[in-house]
Amino acid sequence: MTELTELTALQLVDGYRKGDFSPVEATRAALDRAAEIQPEVNAFVRLTADDALARARESADRWRRGEPAGLVDGVPVTVKDILLQRGTPTLKGSRTISEQGPWNEDAPSVARLREHGAVFVGRTTTPEFGWKGVTDSPLTGVTRNPHDPARTAGGSSGGAAAAVALGAGPLALGTDGGGSVRIPAAFCGIFALKPTYGRVPLYPASAFGTLAHVGPMTRDAADAALLLDVIGNPDSRDWSALSPAPGAFSAGLTGGVRGLRVAYSPSLGGQVAVQPAVQAAVRRGVERLAELGAYVTEADPDFTDPVDAFHTLWFSGAARVTQSLGPRQRELLDPGLREICDRGARYSALDYLAAVDVRMELGRRMGRFHDAYDLLVTPTLPITAFEAGAEVPKGSGHRRWTGWTPFTYPFNMTQQPAASVPVGTDGDGLPVGLQLVAARHRDDLVLRAAHALYEAGVGITPGGS
């Protein structure tokens, strides 16, 4: 019999409906798995076992009555420790936040999951305030890769990715301001979607502004569509939230890719040096899309690396996050975060607006690009996971995490939907991710193409050593 920790959310719900097993059994299995992996991988800030089992028993009663509360009733879920969750501290990887609370409010995505009967098993790790593309913090230490604990899980939603990969709950909420669901998904071999900005409401508003997205992290695209159906609805606390989608994302998965116009950009026009093993795995995924009926053309979007503008926006946001901290509290910060905050505080309003101009032009160029192409395919990252505890790979010459993530942050600037799909491994057995990008509001196309790849058997099975 398949272990409960290996089942997707859809399979769990089907099993509950049939009476094959109960939410209590699935929750106990997820909690046991989380406790088992924690000493080596360090994916969790805390486990909420008592509350989870209480919610699971309530869910089991509803299923026995044939009255489930919603689409994910009884499904174990993890929540990144950036998002508010009622009854438990949200410390954001920082020693500057007190546990005292009160913690009496859910973020919109957490509230929707609660309404649908989800079982919250734990809070997953993040770098301090989600500032970088790997997951380590002064508060919780280093989160490690499920395929090789000597390597990083990526970030900033690294705990969420590791938890999903190792079976500690099939659904996870992550956040993405520059690649933070896609980076760890690629490194850990799972699926993650950064939806169109506003598709998933966010409250409190992020200091990183409209770069920040909430996204599903799952075992496959079908589970991500299910999770997006739950969390992708308006909330009055977020004035920038989109109106409801015209239909369920789950219902649109099966259309396939036949006839879709796909642009494959292996290196953004030669701007990015990509490891050969990454390049080969992504190309195989692209070839599979062509075999499935997509019209694939090798074509690059017309933009140069917007990293300087991204830094202005990102570092300014970081400075705003820490603006109220006194000297003693600032000494508690991650040194790298403190450094970018100091830099961000020196930017002027004119510097910030100049970066916004770059962002607007980038959005215009990508809008025109998608007049010609339904989807853009790139590697999610040019490399596979490197040593844990470092912001950049040793000997890379990069100063900041953005140096090795050139495929991800541009699409936070443009607010487009973008997903990472696992499409194989390198010679060391480390996962490789393929990135799918569509025009704003076409999350359905990203999910549909990803689902087609999963149905075709492309990729790897979540899980590690």
Side-chain angles (χ1 to χ4, degrees), residues 130-143:
W131 80 271
K132 59 183 174 180
V134 294
T135 301
D136 58 70
S137 78
L139 182 68
T140 59
V142 177
T143 297

Side-chain angles (χ1 to χ4, degrees), residues 26 38 74 79 85-86 98 175 185 220 243 260 285 298 318 329 343 358 361 377 390 435:
Q38 181 62 9
V79 179
Q85 182 180 330
R86 193 173 74 227
S98 169
T175 62
D220 60 21
S243 59
L260 292 184
E298 194 161 315
Q329 284 184 303
R343 182 171 166 187
V358 172
E361 174 60 16
V377 176
Q435 181 173 234

Side-chain angles (χ1 to χ4, degrees), residues 202-262:
L202 180 61
Y203 172 85
S206 172
F208 297 106
T210 58
L211 294 173
H213 302 58
V214 177
M217 304 179 73
T218 57
R219 297 178 72 85
D220 60 21
D223 265 11
L226 173 70
L227 183 48
L228 192 57
D229 285 337
V230 173
I231 65 176
N233 286 291
D235 188 289
S236 61
R237 295 171 291 175
D238 183 353
W239 61 268
S240 63
L242 299 175
S243 59
F249 291 102
S250 296
L253 286 175
T254 58
V257 297
R258 184 168 299 280
L260 292 184
R261 302 164 300 168
V262 175

Side-chain angles (χ1 to χ4, degrees), residues 47-373:
L47 295 174
T48 51
D50 290 345
D51 179 69
L53 289 169
R55 288 184 61 81
R57 286 189 286 270
E58 293 168 358
S59 174
D61 287 341
R62 290 191 294 270
W63 280 107
R64 276 193 291 270
R65 297 195 306 269
E67 299 173 352
L71 296 177
V72 292
D73 198 344
V75 176
V77 177
T78 65
V79 179
K80 184 180 180 181
D81 199 35
I82 287 285
L83 299 167
L84 291 178
Q85 182 180 330
R86 193 173 74 227
T88 182
T90 300
L91 303 181
K92 304 183 180 183
S94 183
R95 293 182 291 173
T96 67
I97 297 177
S98 169
E99 292 195 18
Q100 295 304 308
W103 305 104
N104 53 15
E105 193 168 22
D106 285 329
S109 51
V110 177
R112 300 295 86 75
L113 280 165
R114 195 181 296 277
E115 291 162 4
H116 279 257
V119 174
F120 302 109
V121 297
R123 307 301 305 272
T124 53
T125 53
T126 175
E128 195 163 21
F129 300 111
W131 80 271
K132 59 183 174 180
V134 294
T135 301
D136 58 70
S137 78
L139 182 68
T140 59
V142 177
T143 297
R144 299 176 180 276
N145 193 290
H147 296 265
D148 180 353
R151 314 274 184 143
T152 179
S156 63
S157 306
V164 170
L166 290 171
L171 302 179
L173 289 180
T175 62
D176 189 316
S180 289
V181 300
R182 290 160 289 154
I183 295 165
F187 277 176
C188 294
I190 68 163
F191 180 80
L193 171 70
K194 178 190 75 66
T196 299
Y197 178 80
R199 172 50 55 210
V200 181
L202 180 61
Y203 172 85
S206 172
F208 297 106
T210 58
L211 294 173
H213 302 58
V214 177
M217 304 179 73
T218 57
R219 297 178 72 85
D220 60 21
D223 265 11
L226 173 70
L227 183 48
L228 192 57
D229 285 337
V230 173
I231 65 176
N233 286 291
D235 188 289
S236 61
R237 295 171 291 175
D238 183 353
W239 61 268
S240 63
L242 299 175
S243 59
F249 291 102
S250 296
L253 286 175
T254 58
V257 297
R258 184 168 299 280
L260 292 184
R261 302 164 300 168
V262 175
Y264 169 44
S265 178
S267 61
L268 294 180
Q271 296 183 79
V272 184
V274 180
Q275 286 179 353
V278 171
Q279 196 170 60
V282 173
R283 186 172 291 276
R284 286 193 297 271
V286 172
E287 290 169 352
R288 195 72 182 106
L289 288 172
E291 292 166 3
L292 293 170
Y295 297 116
V296 177
T297 305
E298 194 161 315
D300 302 306
D302 178 25
F303 67 79
T304 55
D305 187 354
V307 67
D308 291 336
F310 179 80
H311 281 169
T312 300
L313 300 170
W314 193 251
F315 297 172
S316 297
R320 177 61 175 161
V321 167
T322 60
Q323 186 178 25
S324 64
L325 299 181
R328 288 188 178 180
Q329 284 184 303
R330 292 183 72 84
E331 286 301 313
L332 299 175
L333 295 174
D334 179 329
L337 173 60
R338 193 164 58 239
E339 183 179 318
I340 71 161
C341 289
D342 291 344
R343 182 171 166 187
R346 293 194 294 270
Y347 290 127
S348 69
L350 289 178
D351 293 330
Y352 192 91
L353 290 172
V356 171
D357 286 344
V358 172
R359 183 180 190 181
M360 295 295 186
E361 174 60 16
L362 181 62
R364 183 193 71 79
R365 288 172 182 263
M366 287 308 303
R368 292 298 300 271
F369 184 81
H370 285 290
D371 286 341
Y373 299 102

